[in-house]
Amino acid sequence: MMDWTDRHCRMFHRQFSARALLYTEMVTTGAVIHGDREKLLGFSGAEHPLACQLGGSEPQDLAAAARIVEDFGYDEVNLNVGCPSDRVQSGSFGACLMQEPQLVADCVAAMKAVVKIPVTVKCRIGVDDQDPEEALDALADRVLAAGVDALWVHARKAWLKGLSPKENRDIPPLDYGRVRRLKARLPQLFIGINGGIPSLNASEALLAEADGLPALDGVMLGRAAYHDPALMGAVDRRIYGLETGDVSPRQAIEAYIPYIEDCLSRGIRLSHITRHMLGAFTAVPGARLFRRILTVEGVKAGAGVEVLTSALAALDEAQERAADRIADSAA
Ligand SMILES: Cc1cc2nc3c(=O)[nH]c(=O)nc-3n(C[C@H](O)[C@H](O)[C@H](O)COP(=O)(O)O)c2cc1C
């Protein structure tokens, strides 16, 4: 998610689940081909499995960028056909490509011709006054024919005129049924769903049949996973069926500390890393104190891991005090 996630965020999220597929934010073909690749694409081996999302609409540029992505070691390359920002529209890629399904298929074919890793697409159900029944079928049919390995559908339209990117993530209504109907028509294609999925309960419901329509093949969580990373602690058990214990936020943070120490030794500021864990504890005693210590102390020059350990200690104390109060009132 542009401006939100980065490699530090992915590495933190990886502590909660060994299996969940993590995605980069969108990087444009121009940046990949001409920019600082290590800065844009660099990642830690422990982040696998990892997909890189590209933004672009020139088949040959996408092929060149996909090859670079594969050489970097990514497990999948994904094409963005869902982003509605003005910047993206002026470059004629992102969600406006919903209006050009054959061009998207050409992009997929060009990428498939040069890489061995899966090539996937993330799209909307339509844009503006498109009929989602026709628009999504047209896109899916063409990318399937071009050999796409999976289609992820953000289950709402993007309205390219009149709504900000943020509004375009909330205002156009969600239509999960539309995505299930696509799966019914194209059972051979991996179809994943995204948009407004708040929890693992909701994820499990989408991964099961409903109302005579088939189960979807995958769920993609954006904002919920970012704001409440703790929900990912049960993903390996509940979604992947692994016989493994759930990971608590504290366990995830403790497992993440060696990575933070390594980043600090390379001159990265603590707050750049810990900003992704501000939502790790929600609705528990001490959560606000935890956040406050990280945001006030963590931004100071030279802040080290001790800020994080003191935030965890403050959380512990707040929880002990709360437990004492409950015991007192029960006595
Ligand atoms: C700050 C922000 C940045 C985003 N950047 C991207 C992006 O780079 N690529 C993309 O496919 N979707 C991006 N999205 C959209 C999300 O991936 C997702 O489709 C959308 O938020 C709906 O899913 P959710 O309700 O689970 O968050 C972004 C969303 C947010 C909030």
Side-chain angles (χ1 to χ4, degrees):
M1 290 186 283
M2 274 187 289
D3 300 328
W4 286 21
T5 59
D6 57 17
R7 59 186 293 178
H8 307 310
C9 179
R10 296 192 302 264
M11 189 68 177
F12 179 50
H13 286 189
R14 176 59 68 218
Q15 308 309 313
F16 288 93
S17 164
R19 288 288 291 279
L21 176 60
L22 300 176
Y23 279 78
T24 69
E25 60 281 10
M26 181 178 73
V27 281
T28 62
T29 51
V32 171
I33 295 169
H34 305 294
D36 178 344
R37 289 182 193 163
E38 183 53 39
K39 194 165 163 219
L40 284 164
L41 298 178
F43 65 89
S44 311
E47 287 173 47
H48 287 295
L50 183 61
C52 178
Q53 187 185 65
L54 293 176
S57 59
E58 289 289 330
Q60 288 321 313
D61 287 352
L62 279 162
R67 211 196 299 246
I68 293 166
V69 163
E70 182 175 65
D71 287 346
F72 253 82
Y74 282 89
D75 302 297
E76 173 184 320
V77 60
N78 176 271
L79 175 62
N80 183 314
V81 184
C83 179
S85 86
D86 283 349
R87 208 155 37 107
V88 163
Q89 285 182 54
S90 63
S92 286
F93 54 91
C96 58
L97 288 177
M98 289 300 298
Q99 293 158 328
E100 296 187 70
Q102 189 52 50
L103 176 58
V104 178
D106 294 344
C107 293
V108 168
M111 291 192 280
K112 286 289 294 179
V114 296
V115 297
K116 293 190 186 67
I117 53 173
V119 174
T120 64
V121 168
K122 176 166 178 262
C123 68
R124 298 271 183 148
I125 60 174
V127 292
D128 295 337
D129 53 7
Q130 281 186 318
D131 174 355
E133 300 303 320
E134 288 168 18
L136 187 59
D137 278 355
L139 186 90
D141 287 346
R142 286 194 176 72
V143 296
L144 179 61
V148 81
D149 293 288
L151 184 64
W152 288 95
V153 188
H154 181 177
R156 55 161 62 88
K157 276 186 164 184
W159 294 338
L160 299 177
K161 289 172 207 81
L163 289 188
S164 70
K166 184 171 186 304
E167 289 168 329
N168 257 314
R169 294 193 281 263
D170 285 316
I171 293 177
L174 286 164
D175 187 353
Y176 293 159
R178 175 64 194 96
V179 188
R180 287 190 192 268
R181 287 196 295 284
L182 182 70
K183 179 67 197 173
R185 206 172 66 76
L186 299 176
Q188 70 276 40
L189 177 61
F190 179 108
I191 296 176
I193 190 162
N194 165 249
I197 305 169
S199 63
L200 295 190
N201 281 347
S203 302
E204 285 170 339
L206 289 161
L207 294 169
E209 288 177 17
D211 304 325
L213 287 167
L216 292 156
D217 300 304
V219 290
M220 176 187 280
L221 274 64
R223 289 165 294 185
Y226 190 82
H227 291 309
D228 182 14
L231 74 81
M232 288 180 290
V235 159
D236 287 355
R237 178 176 59 82
R238 290 182 57 182
I239 305 295
Y240 291 97
L242 300 185
E243 287 185 16
T244 177
D246 295 353
V247 180
S248 70
R250 173 176 285 270
Q251 287 169 324
I253 291 173
E254 282 170 357
Y256 188 52
I257 285 178
Y259 172 84
I260 301 178
E261 284 172 332
D262 180 55
C263 289
L264 294 174
S265 75
R266 288 184 288 113
I268 297 164
R269 290 178 79 113
L270 182 74
S271 57
H272 287 190
I273 310 167
T274 51
R275 71 188 180 102
H276 303 297
M277 55 176 71
L278 297 178
F281 302 97
T282 43
V284 295
R288 273 174 53 196
L289 187 57
F290 174 83
R291 281 196 295 277
R292 182 147 37 98
I293 293 173
L294 286 189
T295 46
V296 174
E297 304 299 325
V299 292
K300 293 186 177 161
V305 159
E306 68 285 350
V307 173
L308 182 55
T309 48
S310 71
L312 287 171
L315 186 79
D316 283 345
E317 281 166 27
Q319 295 191 340
E320 276 164 30
R321 280 197 303 275
D324 282 349
R325 274 199 301 276
I326 292 169
D328 278 355
S329 61

